[in-house]
């Protein structure tokens, strides 16, 4: 069951037996009190929904479940922007800091209070409205980590316009196909993003993407870096021209009352085919689920300074940089750059400067810091930290302990939070102050989350009795409501393997204490640096190169990125497998999907190992990639090809 690519990690996890009981002093002050899990989940979510959110019209029914279709907070009317911004200003929190924004260039920083945020959002919403954006208008967002990113999402939420935010590292093809699939009419982007001291172009990529997506008629561009870009008459507008002169009186642009189940946004994510899935999230359940988990999992207090170091372009950023924290009127740090720009102490400087209490990041980043050593970290006062979070992939115990000891000074609970784009919110996680922690275990399902591990036949594997398929048996508030334009795929992918549960696509086991240990993907989805990538999507990208005949993509274990991509390629007659070709193919994948999808290794082969029925045997290629003894080769049409590939792979090292 264990993903081969992560087998070393799994072995380490299986052997792990250290435990960290909660500190009584933490428990004393924690948001989640002893007895937390004894509450009735429906009463819990009903109360959280009423108390944590403000409603224009109260909901009448907590939930409806007609498997696989869930609805939450039925009958309610609310607005996400009102919940994130306006009501806090009305309640006297206007001077509270919403974001400490830290630009990539040193000393380029802004303090944005809730009142500032409201003013910026109202202006942006009025500007968008002047261009014709209103309730139901579909908008694409392609921005880096600049203040305009949350401002744009909130302004669109204010108007009731559903959006899809495409990560700034994605290619023109990726952006174009997403905009086309959603039939977006508008695009909000920026000239270029700061990338390690140099501008990385976004607008030219957006231009190319718009050529592929003719539904997009209007584009608004933020000038972030002063990079010269082409502006097309009648289509392209500068943000400053559209937004700066607008009225910032909230009454000039009231928050649109939305139904609880109105589409809020779409997030595209890789699945097991070449085509990314448009994952649908609706309004009320998403807001309730993200803000509630944010409050309890990170133990957020009125004066907490919280930093989720993800990118807004991923679901982690939507849920835990923008919407969850803002519903809770939290003060967040938002950082534009990378951890080692201009040097490796950047993160620790930020934590020290803003006295950050909560840090939420990914194992791959923790392992990168670990590789760099503790020198930079030791020069900074990190004593403000209180809770450390991890998300995106299984965290190996060594990295967990390093994080706790070196970043958290040995005193901070580490919350390893398991969830997915489809989930919208954290589903399996410790609660600091309540949970006995185990390095490498995401521990408990959150209240009301009916998680289980099934065997092949759909029977629950009892605690302590081995690994199987991670499933969830009951709906949760922030659950995705389907896939854009593909209900069949929605049912097929998630709800067909078992008749009574959601199939997460991960392997897992539950230990004798009932704690969950996540073991990585069990399908053709890879997890590279916490980013989800599909093997088939990368194969399709490779095959779209004119010289490539066939491609097989597998992952191998990597000490920093978790998994790394290995591509085996056969070339068409006449094409030569030179070092230049290799670089060209990597670039090609980068251009088709995005730099994160570039294979770490490309191996040229004369042919790929096929079964007699013509299927590529990825399992064998994975053995080669991970230097293992070859598995069963009996169904192979021509056994000699694997040895040939093995030799090539070795000579490439
Ligand atoms: C996949 C979902 C949800 C935010 C980031 C990723 C893996 C995520 C953990 C964790 C073990 C994890 C799973 C999951 N994953 N968090 N704490 N422990 N694995 O979102 O791109 O939708 O990917 O990430 O394999 O299925 P995503």
């Amino acid at each position: 069951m264990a993903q081969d690519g992560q087998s070393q990690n799994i072995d380490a996890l299986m052997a792990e037996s250290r435990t960290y009981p909660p500190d009584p002093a933490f428990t004393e002050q924690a948001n989640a009190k002893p007895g937390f899990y004894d509450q009735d989940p429906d009463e819990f979510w009903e109360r959280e929904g009423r108390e944590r959110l403000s409603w224009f019209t109260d909901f009448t029914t907590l939930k409806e479940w007609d498997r696989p279709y869930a609805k939450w907070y039925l009958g309610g009317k609310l607005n996400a922007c009102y919940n994130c911004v306006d009501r806090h200003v009305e309640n006297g929190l206007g001077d509270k800091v919403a974001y400490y924004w830290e630009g990539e260039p040193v000393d380029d920083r802004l303090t944005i209070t809730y009142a500032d945020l409201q003013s910026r959002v109202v202006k942006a919403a009025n500007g968008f409205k002047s261009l014709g954006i209103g309730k139901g208008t579909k908008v694409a967002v392609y921005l880096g980590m600049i203040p305009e990113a949350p401002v744009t999402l909130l302004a669109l939420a204010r108007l009731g316009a559903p959006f899809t935010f495409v990560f700034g590292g994605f290619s023109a093809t990726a952006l174009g196909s997403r905009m086309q699939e959603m039939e977006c009419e508008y695009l909000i982007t920026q000239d270029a993003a700061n990338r390690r001291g140099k501008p990385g172009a976004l607008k030219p990529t957006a231009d190319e993407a718009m050529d592929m997506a003719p539904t997009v008629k209007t584009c608004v561009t933020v000038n972030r870096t002063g990079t010269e870009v082409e502006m097309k008459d009648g289509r392209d507008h500068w943000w400053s021209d559209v937004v700066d002169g607008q009225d910032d009186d909230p009454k000039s642009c009231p928050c649109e009352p939305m139904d609880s189940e109105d589409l809020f946004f779409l997030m595209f994510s890789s699945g097991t085919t070449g085509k990314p899935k448009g994952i649908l999230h609706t309004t009320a359940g998403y807001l309730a689920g993200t803000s509630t988990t944010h409050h309890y999992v990170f133990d957020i207090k009125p004066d907490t300074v919280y930093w989720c170091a993800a990118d807004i372009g991923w679901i982690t950023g939507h849920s835990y940089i923008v919407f969850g924290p803002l519903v809770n009127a939290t003060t967040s740090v938002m950082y534009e750059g990378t951890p080692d720009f201009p040097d490796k102490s950047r993160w620790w400087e930020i934590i020290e400067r803003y006295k950050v209490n909560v840090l939420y990041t990914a194992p791959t980043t923790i392992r990168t810091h670990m590789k760099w050593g503790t020198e930079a970290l030791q020069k900074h006062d990190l004593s403000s930290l209180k809770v450390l979070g991890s998300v995106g992939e299984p965290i190996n115990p060594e990295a967990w302990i390093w994080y706790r000891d070196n970043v958290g000074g040995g005193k901070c609970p580490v919350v390893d939070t398991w969830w997915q784009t489809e989930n919208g919110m954290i589903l399996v996680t410790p609660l600091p102050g309540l949970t006995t922690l185990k390095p490498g275990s995401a521990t408990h399902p959150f209240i009301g989350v009916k998680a289980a591990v099934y065997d092949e036949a759909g029977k629950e594997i009892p605690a302590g009795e081995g690994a199987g398929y991670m499933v969830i048996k009951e709906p949760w508030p922030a659950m995705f409501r389907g896939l854009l334009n593909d209900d069949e795929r929605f049912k097929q992918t998630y709800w067909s393997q078992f008749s009574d549960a959601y199939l997460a696509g991960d392997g897992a086991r539950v230990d004798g204490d009932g704690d969950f240990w996540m073991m990585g993907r069990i399908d053709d989805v890879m997890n590279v640096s916490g980013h989800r990538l599909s093997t088939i999507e990368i194969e399709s990208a490779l095959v779209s190169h004119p010289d490539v005949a066939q491609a097989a993509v597998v992952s191998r274990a990597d000490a920093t990125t978790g998994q790394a991509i290995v591509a085996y390629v056969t070339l068409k007659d006449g094409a030569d497998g030179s070092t230049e070709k290799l670089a060209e193919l990597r670039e090609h994948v980068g251009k088709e999907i995005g730099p994160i999808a570039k294979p770490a290794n490309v191996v040229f082969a004369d042919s790929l190992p096929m079964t007699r029925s013509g299927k590529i045997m990825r399992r064998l290629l994975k053995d080669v990639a991970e230097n293992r003894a070859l598995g069963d080769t009996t169904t192979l049409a021509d056994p000699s090809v694997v040895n040939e590939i093995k030799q090539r792979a070795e000579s490439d090292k």
Side-chain angles (χ1 to χ4, degrees):
M1 173 56 52
Q3 260 304 72
D4 326 75
Q6 301 186 328
S7 47
Q8 291 156 5
N9 190 19
I10 302 305
D11 290 345
L13 287 181
M14 295 298 225
E16 185 55 46
S17 60
R18 281 167 284 196
T19 57
Y20 297 83
D23 172 358
F26 196 112
T27 312
E28 185 68 27
Q29 59 81 65
N31 290 345
K33 301 282 173 231
F36 182 80
Y37 294 108
D38 304 334
Q39 304 170 80
D40 175 79
D42 284 353
E43 279 170 24
F44 173 82
W45 283 118
E46 176 131 10
R47 193 182 62 243
E48 290 293 340
R50 286 228 158 77
E51 292 176 4
R52 200 168 294 284
L53 298 177
S54 299
W55 300 83
F56 298 147
T57 307
D58 204 357
F59 60 91
T60 49
T61 309
L62 177 68
K63 69 178 178 205
E64 242 177 50
W65 177 223
D66 179 11
R67 191 183 178 281
Y69 305 104
K71 289 185 178 151
W72 282 82
Y73 303 109
L74 287 91
K77 295 247 185 250
L78 76 173
N79 180 281
C81 180
Y82 183 75
N83 274 279
C84 289
V85 184
D86 295 69
R87 63 170 179 157
H88 301 322
V89 179
E90 288 167 15
N91 292 338
L93 295 175
D95 291 336
K96 186 173 178 180
V97 175
Y99 290 110
Y100 287 116
W101 178 78
E102 178 90 7
E104 188 191 81
V106 176
D107 295 334
D108 184 5
R109 59 179 71 97
L110 278 172
T111 297
I112 303 170
T113 64
Y114 275 90
D116 297 336
L117 188 61
Q118 183 181 45
S119 158
R120 282 171 175 258
V121 168
V122 172
K123 279 185 175 183
N126 273 322
F128 293 168
K129 203 156 73 172
S130 75
L131 294 176
I133 299 179
K135 187 172 180 176
T137 311
K138 293 167 186 160
V139 182
V141 184
Y142 187 59
L143 290 169
M145 290 288 286
I146 57 175
E148 287 82 354
V151 166
T152 295
L153 299 193
L154 292 161
L156 294 172
R158 188 176 197 91
L159 299 171
F163 54 84
T164 192
F165 194 123
V166 178
F167 171 58
F170 272 127
S171 66
T173 316
L175 173 61
S177 63
R178 283 158 172 77
M179 292 196 296
Q180 199 177 16
E181 183 72 38
M182 189 174 172
E183 295 173 19
C184 292
E185 292 176 67
Y186 293 78
L187 170 62
I188 318 295
T189 189
Q190 67 191 74
D191 59 338
N194 286 312
R195 290 199 185 128
R196 314 175 65 79
K198 284 195 228 80
L202 286 186
K203 176 63 164 56
T205 313
D207 288 339
E208 236 186 280
M210 282 188 279
D211 289 342
M212 296 172 54
T215 51
V216 181
K217 297 280 191 295
T218 310
C219 176
V220 179
T221 303
V222 177
N223 179 0
R224 167 63 185 137
T225 66
T227 303
E228 211 175 299
V229 295
E230 242 173 74
M231 296 295 273
K232 192 166 159 182
D233 255 2
R235 185 192 72 182
D236 293 347
H237 306 264
W238 287 109
W239 173 283
S240 53
D241 294 340
V242 175
V243 171
D244 287 2
Q246 296 289 341
D247 195 344
D248 72 348
D249 179 352
K251 287 196 215 67
S252 69
C253 185
C255 294
E256 187 70 40
M258 302 300 284
D259 193 89
S260 288
E261 281 298 329
D262 274 338
L263 175 63
F264 188 19
F265 66 86
L266 268 171
M267 170 70 67
F268 285 87
S269 190
S270 294
T272 55
T273 73
K275 199 171 158 227
K277 306 182 268 205
I279 292 165
L280 302 163
H281 282 289
T282 58
T283 310
Y286 176 79
L287 292 175
T290 53
S291 58
T292 301
T293 46
H294 177 252
H295 175 79
Y296 291 107
V297 173
F298 302 111
D299 202 49
I300 301 296
K301 301 289 195 277
D303 61 353
T304 298
V305 179
Y306 161 88
W307 182 18
C308 169
D311 191 288
I312 292 182
W314 307 107
I315 192 72
T316 308
H318 280 50
S319 300
Y320 296 105
I321 297 177
V322 184
F323 298 108
L326 292 179
V327 165
N328 291 331
T330 303
T331 296
S332 288
V333 170
M334 186 180 155
Y335 173 48
E336 185 184 30
T338 53
D340 58 346
F341 190 86
D343 58 53
K344 297 184 171 66
S345 59
R346 190 67 193 265
W347 266 35
W348 319 125
E349 263 165 41
I350 292 175
I351 292 175
E352 181 170 5
R353 171 170 306 115
Y354 300 110
K355 300 193 170 46
V356 171
N357 305 121
V358 182
L359 175 66
Y360 190 27
T361 187
T364 183
T365 313
I366 299 166
R367 289 191 295 262
T368 302
H369 282 296
M370 216 170 136
K371 216 162 59 183
W372 292 339
T374 54
E375 199 188 325
L377 179 155
Q378 276 162 357
K379 292 200 193 105
H380 294 276
D381 178 7
L382 309 181
S383 62
S384 56
L385 286 169
K386 203 180 116 182
V387 178
L388 301 176
S390 173
V391 61
E393 51 178 313
I395 180 163
N396 47 314
E398 198 196 353
W400 194 102
I401 305 261
W402 186 90
Y403 193 28
R404 181 180 186 277
D405 287 354
N406 293 290
V407 181
K411 65 174 171 45
C412 302
V414 175
V415 290
D416 173 6
T417 65
W418 176 88
W419 57 296
Q420 312 172 289
T421 305
E422 291 86 344
N423 305 155
M425 63 188 247
I426 293 168
L427 288 189
V428 182
T429 179
L431 291 178
L434 274 190
T435 312
T436 291
L437 306 171
K438 298 176 183 171
S441 170
T443 71
H444 281 293
F446 193 69
I447 182 169
V449 175
K450 298 279 181 286
V453 176
Y454 276 7
D455 67 13
E456 205 75 38
K459 226 173 106 242
E460 189 161 338
I461 300 175
E465 289 185 16
Y469 297 90
M470 178 73 185
V471 301
I472 303 155
K473 300 201 271 188
E474 295 283 330
W476 58 96
M479 175 170 134
F480 67 142
R481 303 298 198 253
L483 297 180
L484 178 70
N485 303 333
D486 209 344
D487 206 41
E488 211 32 58
R489 189 175 181 193
F490 173 58
K491 288 192 228 158
Q492 190 58 35
T493 310
Y494 305 101
W495 308 97
S496 67
Q497 177 139 355
F498 304 118
S499 62
D500 64 345
Y502 162 82
L503 179 76
D506 278 25
R509 72 184 171 95
V510 182
D511 69 16
D513 301 327
D515 287 321
F516 281 73
W517 297 75
M518 310 309 303
M519 300 163 70
R521 301 290 308 193
I522 47 163
D523 49 17
D524 288 327
V525 173
M526 297 178 287
N527 191 323
V528 180
S529 299
H531 301 317
R532 201 205 276 200
L533 292 162
S534 137
T535 53
I536 294 160
E537 203 180 344
I538 298 170
E539 286 169 4
S540 314
L542 284 164
V543 174
S544 76
H545 187 282
D547 290 341
V548 174
Q550 254 188 337
V553 167
V554 298
S555 65
R556 60 166 168 81
D558 182 275
T560 307
T561 59
Q563 288 178 283
I565 306 165
V566 182
Y568 297 89
V569 171
T570 63
L571 294 173
K572 287 188 186 150
D573 285 349
D576 70 310
S578 59
T579 322
E580 290 76 47
K581 184 66 65 198
L582 208 137
E584 190 184 317
L585 293 184
R586 293 186 71 243
E587 281 312 309
H588 181 72
V589 174
K591 204 167 160 3
E592 285 295 303
I593 304 172
I596 47 165
K598 284 186 194 171
N601 312 86
V602 178
V603 180
F604 292 121
D606 293 334
S607 53
L608 297 175
M610 299 275 199
T611 61
R612 291 190 194 104
S613 60
K615 273 201 195 130
I616 296 175
M617 290 184 78
R618 286 197 183 72
R619 183 175 49 77
L620 288 178
L621 292 170
K622 206 168 163 79
D623 287 342
V624 173
E626 298 195 321
N627 269 331
R628 269 193 303 273
L630 294 181
D632 185 13
T633 56
T634 48
T635 54
L636 206 57
D638 175 9
S640 68
V641 297
V642 192
N643 282 326
E644 185 240 351
I645 289 173
K646 219 174 154 195
Q647 276 160 13
R648 296 253 184 129
E650 264 152 30
S651 68
D652 279 354
K653 277 182 193 131

